[in-house]
Amino acid sequence: KRPFTKSCAGPIFEMPLTVVMEDQGCGYIPWIVEKSVGFLFERMGTPGLFRQNGSEQDIQEIVEAFDRGEDVI
């Protein structure tokens, strides 16, 4: 893993990619994508990983936590 050089806090969702990358300065891949792919990669062998949808309320809470820069995953 490469260390993040700046805080990755700040709005992510509904923001242009260029703005997210400029604000975060965390590399060539938005940190939310990097963290999400890592999470899925670690759990690839988990049966039923994509069988159940998340609730709308849970998803909104996760979106808001990411936008606050919290380490959700």
Side-chain angles (χ1 to χ4, degrees), residues 1 4 31 35 62 65-66 68-73:
K1 285 185 169 185
F4 295 129
W31 73 275
K35 292 195 64 79
I62 291 169
F66 269 120
R68 289 190 301 269
E70 296 176 14
D71 193 3
V72 178
I73 298 176

Side-chain angles (χ1 to χ4, degrees), residues 46-64:
T46 304
L49 185 61
F50 295 104
R51 288 189 189 154
Q52 188 174 22
N53 295 332
S55 74
E56 191 170 322
Q57 180 180 352
D58 289 344
I59 293 169
Q60 187 58 39
E61 288 174 8
I62 291 169
V63 165
E64 290 171 3

Side-chain angles (χ1 to χ4, degrees), residues 10-63:
I12 297 171
F13 294 91
E14 298 182 18
M15 298 293 294
L17 182 58
T18 54
V19 172
V20 171
M21 297 307 296
E22 183 178 302
D23 288 348
Q24 294 179 1
C26 295
Y28 296 105
I29 301 171
W31 73 275
I32 187 172
V33 173
E34 187 172 331
K35 292 195 64 79
S36 299
V37 169
F39 176 86
L40 293 172
F41 185 75
E42 291 171 4
R43 291 158 180 82
M44 280 193 320
T46 304
L49 185 61
F50 295 104
R51 288 189 189 154
Q52 188 174 22
N53 295 332
S55 74
E56 191 170 322
Q57 180 180 352
D58 289 344
I59 293 169
Q60 187 58 39
E61 288 174 8
I62 291 169
V63 165

